[in-house]
Amino acid sequence: MKKTWFGLLCMALILVLGATAAMAKPVLKVGTSADFPPFEFQDEKTGEYLGFDIDLINAIGEAVAMDVEIVNTAWDGLIPGLLTGNFDCIISAMTITEDRLKAVDFSDPYFSASQVIVTKLEDTSIKTLEDLVGKQVSVQIGTTGDLEVSEVDGIIVKRFNLAPDAIQEVRNGGVAACVIDLAVAEEISQQYKDIKYGEPITTEEYGIAIRKGNSQLLEKINKGIAEVKASGQYDEIYAKWLKD
């Protein structure tokens, strides 16, 4: 009798474990450089990852029935980390460029962006890229801002690993200006009233980077982006992080 009950108990346990395993969602490991508010940053008190991109990828994960795991990685290590399999995709306010498309595939664009020039509030001499010739300009290394100023002869580029440090260098007087994403300039200029930014100098689009050949994941992510937009969640996330 005892053996019968024990056997039934084991069978029940196996069934429960099997059902639990069947219910478990696949994990989507996502690389990001959490130093780029309002797109991705880390709460200083809780350590929680926050921002537009974080909310968006979580919504996409929910739409395609995947659990999202964020892997915080330095910006210049994101694409190498993706290629070596440290994560499955990248969401990190990453502009779709021809050079990057040689190394990775991108999802459908999910955000239209631009670069701006950040200067001290009292500076009225800098409005265009040409005005930066002969001057020191800070950028976050490997970003579109870095690429943009590096193409102009005579600009002395000062590179930083973190976007906030690049803008802080303007405030400290170490450089004449910083070239950075508009949304980041908007966010930081609300915090610091001694800097300002001008009109956009580029037009670009952000995408989610995926290893080349992973067409199944690319299809899933594009489906997720479409569903999040169609449901109205995208507009809610946009309003939360990018509208006053």
Side-chain angles (χ1 to χ4, degrees), residues 144-204:
T144 312
D146 186 358
L147 299 175
E148 198 69 26
V149 298
S150 297
E151 291 180 355
V152 181
D153 290 338
I155 295 180
I156 305 160
V157 185
K158 196 169 184 180
R159 297 176 174 88
F160 291 83
N161 288 325
L162 305 179
D165 291 346
I167 290 185
Q168 185 62 39
E169 190 70 0
V170 177
R171 301 184 68 231
N172 293 342
V175 293
C178 172
V179 175
I180 203 159
D181 288 62
L182 171 60
V184 178
E186 287 176 332
E187 177 82 8
I188 295 180
S189 65
Q190 289 177 13
Q191 182 179 359
Y192 301 116
K193 302 303 181 183
D194 57 344
I195 56 173
K196 61 181 174 64
Y197 59 91
E199 293 296 318
I201 58 173
T202 66
T203 300
E204 56 200 70

Side-chain angles (χ1 to χ4, degrees), residues 74-88:
W75 170 263
D76 57 355
L78 283 174
I79 289 181
L82 176 65
L83 298 181
T84 55
N86 292 348
F87 26 83
D88 304 308

Side-chain angles (χ1 to χ4, degrees), residues 28-90:
L28 179 67
K29 295 182 73 173
V30 181
T32 194
S33 182
D35 52 28
F36 207 63
F39 289 97
E40 43 269 321
F41 61 99
Q42 199 166 9
D43 187 285
E44 293 180 359
K45 294 181 180 178
T46 66
E48 182 183 4
Y49 295 111
L50 303 170
F52 178 92
D53 282 348
I54 305 301
D55 282 0
L56 179 61
I57 198 64
N58 279 314
I60 291 169
E62 185 177 347
V64 299
M66 298 183 78
D67 285 330
V68 172
E69 179 186 331
I70 299 297
V71 183
N72 190 14
T73 303
W75 170 263
D76 57 355
L78 283 174
I79 289 181
L82 176 65
L83 298 181
T84 55
N86 292 348
F87 26 83
D88 304 308
C89 65
I90 299 166

Side-chain angles (χ1 to χ4, degrees), residues 25-26 28 30 52-69 89-92 107-111 206-210 216-231 233-234 237:
K25 295 179 182 178
L28 179 67
V30 181
F52 178 92
D53 282 348
I54 305 301
D55 282 0
L56 179 61
I57 198 64
N58 279 314
I60 291 169
E62 185 177 347
V64 299
M66 298 183 78
D67 285 330
V68 172
E69 179 186 331
C89 65
I90 299 166
I91 189 167
S92 198
S107 69
D108 294 334
Y110 70 84
F111 188 85
Y206 295 163
I208 298 171
I210 299 151
Q216 186 176 7
L217 181 58
L218 179 61
E219 184 179 339
K220 269 191 174 184
I221 287 179
N222 282 336
K223 178 185 176 184
I225 292 172
E227 288 188 14
V228 169
K229 287 185 174 181
S231 70
Q233 279 183 287
Y234 181 93
I237 295 168

